[in-house]
Amino acid sequence: MRRAVLSWVAAALASGVSCAADAQLPALHEATAPPTSAANDGSHTIVLRAQSLIDGTGAPPRRDLDIVIRGNRIVEISATGSRPVPEGADVLDLGSLTVLPGLIDTHTHIFLQGEDPNAGGYDVQLLKFPASYRVARAIVSARRALEQGFTTIRDMETEGAGYGDVGIKQAINESVVPGPRMWVSTISISSTGGYPLEGYAPEITVPKGSQLIDGPVEARKAARQQLDHGADWIKVYMTHRSWLDVNGNLVSQPTLTLEELKAIVDETHGWGKKVACHAYNGAGLQRSLDGGCDSIEHGLELSDAQIAQMVKQGTWYVPTLQVYYTDWDPADTDAGKRDRKRAEIHGVSFTKALRAGVKIAFGTDVGGFGWSQPIAEEFLREVQLGMTPMQAIQSATSRAAELLGQRGLVGVIAPGAYADVIAVAGDPLADVGALKNVQFVLKDGVVFKKDGVVFKSAVGVGHAP
Ligand SMILES: [Zn+2]
């Protein structure tokens, strides 16, 4: 997708069907339980046999383990052969594959498809596509996430598709369609002049890809409306257009005032929910921090003072690196120069933030690029810019779970966690690119994908699915 498009694209708690808390749950001081699938009746036992396990916590890989899953929860992990296989259990031997927790992408857009500007780009979706068509494509996107091993996503607004994400989340939770656990942010909020559609005759009223507000009263009302209709997070655009000034520095247009943002944050926190702020740099990013945003999305240019403020406040950083390295305009154009500058300063900011101890969660902006491209490409960029492969894995597992307020429940393989497990060929600690080739996906205790995996039942302990 072109950067001109990306400038506005780059931009939970389950209230639907969720599992009743049970005695296995870790202390839930942070949040409501995540959405779970209705496909699992809670009675079946599976033993996943893993020769190599990376559990998501950052601990070194462990060898030769049996992961016992009852219903949709992991109940026990023990050395293979050290305990009898539970009666009636299916034993799925994952052989030499590396086993990991289901991955988490904390910045997705299932209602975007990496639109080709030559095919109408962003605008045609809002102007010409029936809502039903957009929903149909979003369902495929959700499935694509799961196929790639992403069993949880935080979807960062529907780009003109209203509350469509709320309905898709419900359909996934009720097992009407396959997909990841979703935290949704519905319509998002920006200011007048702060989001497309743009460039049309002023006499024509066109739809907008965000709810545009002016003033703290409207800001609070928009947050209330979105929360009332099912938003798990509120997404706010704190910068919009960006360009290079005469000295070649990136400048981004701030959108909401500090007072407007504070009204949204105050309201959202009152509902026990959080605010994600799209912010590139400059005044808009500073307002995001001063106004109490819980996560900074993109954060192309972070000053040392802003990094220190993020550390002090515990603000999350969801950099979405890879999307800024693709599809640049020609080098000799203004847009092309800006594209290159963005990627350059973004990498510097990421590395500095990492070294300073800013909390970083994996996010990709997928949808801003096509869902057919590997989401896991982001891991390679994280490692190139300074993360260890283990840190990169944590950013999409335990760290991302922490951002979502789901520590111990998703993004980890441990007793009490939901049974979201993937397996990949090769060793992602040696080559993080191995995460692009997910061969096995279990979500909520149900096998979704088992490409090339031959299950071997243990003698006398039932059948492999
Ligand atoms: Zn985005």
Side-chain angles (χ1 to χ4, degrees):
M1 154 171 285
R2 292 169 56 223
R3 276 302 75 71
V5 177
L6 184 65
S7 65
W8 28 264
V9 169
L13 310 173
S15 58
V17 178
S18 63
C19 155
D22 65 28
Q24 301 287 343
L25 264 173
L28 254 187
H29 55 283
E30 291 182 289
T32 317
T36 61
S37 162
N40 196 314
D41 67 6
S43 64
H44 193 61
T45 300
I46 295 174
V47 176
L48 294 180
R49 189 151 287 170
Q51 288 179 17
S52 178
L53 170 69
I54 296 171
D55 68 8
T57 66
R62 290 184 280 161
R63 306 286 167 198
D64 299 317
L65 296 169
D66 280 1
I67 303 162
V68 181
I69 292 159
R70 189 163 302 125
N72 65 355
R73 296 297 188 100
I74 296 166
V75 294
E76 185 182 299
I77 299 173
S78 59
T80 299
S82 67
R83 305 281 293 268
V85 172
E87 179 134 3
D90 285 330
V91 179
L92 312 185
D93 189 337
L94 294 169
S96 62
L97 299 180
T98 302
V99 177
L100 302 107
L103 302 171
I104 303 170
D105 187 338
T106 69
H107 192 127
T108 66
H109 296 281
I110 61 169
F111 277 93
L112 290 179
Q113 316 296 332
E115 285 74 18
D116 178 359
N118 297 321
Y122 182 87
D123 291 24
V124 71
Q125 305 175 99
L126 278 69
L127 293 172
K128 293 194 172 177
F129 290 173
S132 53
Y133 179 64
R134 295 198 66 192
V135 167
R137 300 214 301 177
I139 287 169
V140 175
S141 302
R143 184 188 180 98
R144 287 290 299 140
L146 199 53
E147 285 170 353
Q148 296 186 56
F150 287 82
T151 53
T152 296
I153 61 173
R154 185 182 61 152
D155 204 61
M156 288 272 81
E157 84 122 321
T158 62
E159 312 286 356
Y163 293 95
D165 50 357
V166 176
I168 288 178
K169 181 180 86 170
Q170 182 179 351
I172 290 169
N173 292 351
E174 294 178 358
S175 297
V176 177
V177 296
R181 303 179 196 276
M182 287 182 69
W183 273 259
V184 301
S185 55
T186 73
I187 299 174
S188 80
I189 299 171
S190 190
S191 58
T192 295
Y195 213 72
L197 301 183
E198 297 171 323
Y200 292 85
E203 295 78 15
I204 300 173
T205 301
V206 292
K208 299 288 184 180
S210 182
Q211 187 167 354
L212 306 187
I213 60 87
D214 295 289
V217 173
E218 286 186 16
R220 187 178 292 272
K221 182 165 186 175
R224 285 175 176 164
Q225 288 171 331
Q226 294 179 18
L227 291 161
D228 188 31
H229 291 304
D232 302 311
W233 280 69
I234 293 296
K235 165 78 177 289
V236 183
Y237 288 92
M238 289 301 295
T239 61
H240 180 37
R241 296 170 181 84
S242 68
W243 61 92
L244 297 187
D245 69 12
V246 289
N247 298 316
N249 299 312
L250 184 75
V251 181
S252 59
Q253 164 213 350
T255 51
L256 275 68
T257 65
L258 185 57
E259 291 67 32
E260 289 166 339
L261 175 62
K262 280 185 170 174
I264 291 167
V265 170
D266 179 65
E267 184 67 28
T268 307
H269 286 177
W271 289 59
K273 299 192 177 179
K274 293 180 181 173
V275 179
C277 293
H278 166 117
Y280 274 5
N281 69 348
L285 196 144
Q286 189 57 47
R287 290 179 200 170
S288 302
L289 297 177
D290 293 343
C293 292
D294 298 290
S295 68
I296 299 295
E297 309 300 309
H298 317 303
L300 300 190
E301 186 173 31
L302 306 173
S303 70
D304 291 347
Q306 286 168 335
I307 287 171
Q309 190 173 356
M310 291 175 78
V311 171
K312 184 172 174 218
Q313 295 180 185
T315 312
W316 285 92
Y317 183 28
V318 182
T320 69
L321 299 164
Q322 175 61 17
V323 71
Y324 291 95
Y325 284 82
T326 58
D327 212 9
W328 289 341
D329 275 352
D332 57 351
T333 63
D334 285 350
K337 288 173 189 161
R338 181 196 58 183
D339 293 344
R340 285 156 182 79
K341 181 70 176 179
R342 281 178 178 172
E344 176 197 325
I345 59 177
H346 201 186
V348 172
S349 296
F350 175 84
T351 304
K352 282 163 86 171
L354 176 66
R355 289 191 184 136
V358 173
K359 299 192 292 187
I360 299 174
F362 181 99
T364 62
D365 223 1
V366 58
F369 57 92
W371 283 89
S372 57
Q373 295 178 43
I375 301 171
E377 201 69 48
E378 181 79 9
F379 288 112
L380 296 167
R381 197 64 69 178
E382 287 182 326
V383 169
Q384 182 197 19
L385 292 170
M387 278 188 169
T388 64
M390 186 63 93
Q391 284 177 316
I393 290 167
Q394 285 175 271
S395 76
T397 53
S398 56
R399 296 296 271 168
E402 200 182 320
L403 177 150
L404 294 171
Q406 301 295 315
R407 187 169 39 193
L409 296 175
V410 295
V412 66
I413 294 183
Y418 285 92
D420 296 350
V421 183
I422 67 165
V424 303
D427 178 6
L429 297 180
D431 172 15
V432 82
L435 296 170
K436 285 195 279 192
N437 298 308
V438 173
Q439 295 191 279
F440 172 80
V441 178
L442 179 100
K443 183 210 157 196
D444 219 29
V446 177
V447 176
F448 171 72
K449 178 181 183 180
K450 48 180 180 173
D451 287 1
V453 177
V454 179
F455 294 131
K456 292 172 275 185
S457 293
V459 176
V461 293
H463 63 281

